[in-house]
Amino acid sequence: RAIHAEAEGEPYIGKVAVGAVLLNRIGSPDFPNTLSGVVYQSLALESVSNGRFNDQANTDSLRAAKEAIAGYDPTYGCLYFWNPATATSAWIWTRTIVVQYGKHVFGI
């Protein structure tokens, strides 16, 4: 559901990339070490804050989640993603952008 809520209008690879970021966070000492911990971390995902996370995931989002879980990481290990056109946090712009898919950039 997090992939769907965060990347519904993005290309398929962008959906996989969002899933990969969530999984990459689990392995980072800077984030919770469980998927639920990562998803529900305070202020981590806008879709949890605004309730969009509760929407049913579509087929593409479910398939993207399976690919990310299987190890496909088109972000090359990134821990962050954001939409440059809507990002308001000055801190997020201190991250190094690695790749862009659709409207999201992915960074470390």
Side-chain angles (χ1 to χ4, degrees):
R1 290 188 330 240
I3 291 170
H4 180 74
E6 294 289 332
E8 180 181 14
E10 298 301 315
Y12 180 75
I13 194 168
K15 291 174 176 36
V16 177
V18 166
V21 165
L22 299 176
L23 294 173
N24 292 342
R25 288 180 180 186
I26 294 170
S28 169
D30 297 331
F31 293 92
N33 63 359
T34 65
L35 184 56
S36 63
V38 166
V39 168
Y40 290 108
Q41 184 178 22
S42 181
L43 303 177
L45 297 179
E46 182 180 356
S47 64
V48 173
S49 306
N50 68 21
R52 187 126 162 49
F53 173 77
N54 297 314
D55 293 352
Q56 185 68 23
N58 64 18
T59 304
D60 270 356
S61 295
L62 293 170
R63 192 169 52 118
K66 289 176 183 175
E67 282 205 56
I69 289 168
Y72 180 34
D73 182 1
T75 74
Y76 311 101
C78 287
L79 297 173
Y80 305 97
F81 66 92
W82 67 98
N83 181 333
T86 61
T88 58
S89 165
W91 177 86
I92 199 67
W93 290 104
T94 67
R95 309 292 86 203
T96 300
I97 296 171
V98 174
V99 67
Q100 179 169 354
Y101 298 115
K103 294 179 183 174
H104 283 145
V105 293
F106 297 82
I108 52 175

